[in-house]
């Protein structure tokens, strides 16, 4: 097997949310080696201005490319909305796959013709979101809702405490009152809350997690780009965080259902001499 064949897939997020995408990569592409990057030292991205998120995304992309990534999965809706176009321009030879709020499947299947999208502040205010609604809502009412508190709950592994359930009701009750029958998870942290969300919205609301579709796209990109050929090797995972110890390894392992060990990303390499 050539060196090219064994190159890993790079996946990044502001934190542990992107593990909802990584978990799906494991299901669909189990032979691939993975590099995961969690920018926990600078989380949350949601309230940050787009130019700052672009800078972070570019730093992380360089970091992953330096470790041989053959494709970069921006497993963060916020970073995708703010930075994907910039990343594709800056690294024209690198295949990128990003997240986009799944308004299209929601609008296609809704009966009530009202759908909700939960995401970060930055995502719901982004041009990308406006454009997705423009292109795909097709007369359906799309109600966005920024839910910053839920990101914090997931980062601390608090998937179904009374506090998380209270937050979910605060965020979702107005959407239910508006008549949604579909709820798009527009932030990669939220799939970890699906059992609690399902309880909060009841059985009549369809919950849409875009991870399976995004990972199918990763599979297509790997096959399409000859230098990114799929590889069947050991399927190892290396993970990095900008967060402080204790490392999130135990929580992350629980989240994906297999061991994953984080090491601290060397900040000097990440940000250069210019600092954060
Ligand atoms: N996981 C990220 C997303 O998909 C955002 C969380 C944050 O605010 O950092 O949008």
């Amino acid at each position: 097997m050539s060196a090219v064949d064994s190159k890993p897939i790079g996946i990044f997020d502001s934190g542990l949310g992107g593990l909802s995408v990584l978990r799906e990569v494991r299901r669909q592409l189990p032979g691939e080696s993975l590099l995961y990057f969690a920018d926990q030292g600078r989380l949350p991205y949601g309230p940050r201005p787009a130019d700052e998120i672009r800078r972070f995304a570019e730093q992380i992309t360089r970091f992953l490319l330096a470790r041989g990534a053959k494709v970069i999965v921006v497993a963060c809706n916020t970073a995708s909305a703010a930075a994907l176009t910039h990343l594709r321009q800056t690294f024209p030879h690198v295949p990128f796959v990003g997240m986009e709020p799944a308004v299209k499947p929601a609008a296609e299947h809704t009966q009530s013709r009202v759908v909700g999208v939960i995401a970060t502040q930055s995502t719901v205010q982004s041009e990308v979101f406006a454009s997705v609604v423009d292109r795909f809502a097709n007369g359906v009412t799309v109600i966005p809702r920024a839910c910053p508190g839920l990101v914090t709950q997931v980062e601390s592994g608090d998937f179904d405490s009374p506090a998380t359930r209270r937050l979910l009701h605060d965020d979702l009750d107005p959407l239910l009152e508006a008549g949604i029958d579909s709820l798009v998870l527009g932030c990669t942290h939220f799939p970890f809350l699906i059992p609690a969300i399902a309880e909060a919205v009841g059985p009549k609301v369809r919950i849409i997690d875009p991870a399976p579709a995004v990972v199918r796209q990763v599979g297509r990109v790997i096959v399409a780009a000859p230098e990114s050929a799929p590889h069947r090797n050991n399927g190892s995972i290396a993970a990095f965080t900008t967060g402080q110890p204790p490392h999130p390894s135990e929580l992350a392992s629980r989240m994906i259902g297999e061991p994953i060990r984080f090491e601290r990303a060397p900040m000097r390499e990440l940000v250069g001499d210019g600092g954060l």
Side-chain angles (χ1 to χ4, degrees):
M1 175 163 296
S2 76
V4 168
D5 282 345
S6 61
K7 282 181 157 191
I9 295 175
I11 304 173
F12 78 86
D13 179 39
S14 58
L16 301 181
L19 293 173
S20 63
V21 178
L22 179 144
R23 185 174 60 174
E24 187 61 30
V25 172
R26 297 301 265 174
R27 276 188 203 126
Q28 292 189 33
L29 305 165
E32 295 290 334
S33 293
L34 310 180
L35 289 174
Y36 185 79
F37 192 104
D39 199 3
Q40 291 176 297
R42 302 185 290 191
L43 173 137
Y45 280 8
R48 291 183 185 273
D51 59 342
E52 189 172 44
I53 299 169
R54 274 195 284 278
R55 185 157 50 84
F56 295 170
E58 189 180 323
Q59 291 167 350
I60 297 167
T61 297
R62 287 190 199 286
F63 182 93
L64 294 170
L65 292 175
R67 281 159 185 74
K70 61 183 172 184
V71 52
I72 304 284
V73 182
V74 185
C76 173
N77 288 75
T78 308
S80 298
L84 201 52
T85 305
H86 169 76
L87 292 174
R88 288 190 169 125
Q89 282 164 357
T90 310
F91 306 96
H93 302 299
V94 177
F96 286 93
V97 177
M99 312 296 299
E100 199 177 73
V103 169
K104 187 167 185 244
E108 280 168 0
H109 293 103
T110 176
Q111 300 289 313
S112 69
R113 304 197 57 73
V114 186
V115 310
V117 178
I118 52 174
T120 66
Q121 191 71 32
S122 177
T123 299
V124 301
Q125 288 173 346
S126 67
E127 279 170 34
V128 167
F129 181 69
S131 140
V132 164
V133 172
D134 235 37
R135 283 178 290 144
F136 301 123
N138 217 355
V140 164
T141 303
V142 178
I143 308 179
R145 171 117 193 157
C147 307
L150 298 179
V151 172
T152 315
Q153 297 306 103
V154 171
E155 281 295 312
S156 51
D158 195 347
F159 305 121
D160 62 0
S161 69
T164 300
R165 284 170 191 276
R166 231 181 350 266
L167 269 174
L168 280 171
H169 276 291
D170 290 348
D171 284 325
L172 300 176
D173 287 354
L175 299 178
L176 292 172
E177 279 153 28
I180 64 161
D181 68 355
S182 309
L183 180 67
V184 174
L185 305 186
C187 169
T188 52
H189 280 75
F190 298 166
F192 293 106
L193 298 172
I194 285 177
I197 291 174
E199 227 179 280
V201 297
K204 293 199 182 99
V205 174
R206 181 166 166 248
I207 299 166
I208 303 173
D209 171 9
V214 168
V215 175
R216 282 195 292 279
Q217 176 62 11
V218 175
R220 284 191 288 268
V221 164
I222 288 175
V223 171
E227 68 280 12
S228 306
H231 100 95
R232 310 202 191 308
N233 203 348
N234 59 4
S236 63
I237 308 179
F240 301 89
T241 179
T242 53
Q244 295 298 331
H247 298 314
S249 304
E250 195 192 314
L251 171 59
S253 303
R254 252 199 300 138
M255 289 165 81
I256 65 169
E258 65 175 301
I260 177 168
R261 261 187 51 80
F262 279 81
E263 60 183 276
R264 186 150 160 79
M267 288 310 281
R268 185 172 291 273
E269 178 193 336
L270 189 70
V271 303
D273 290 331
L276 289 179

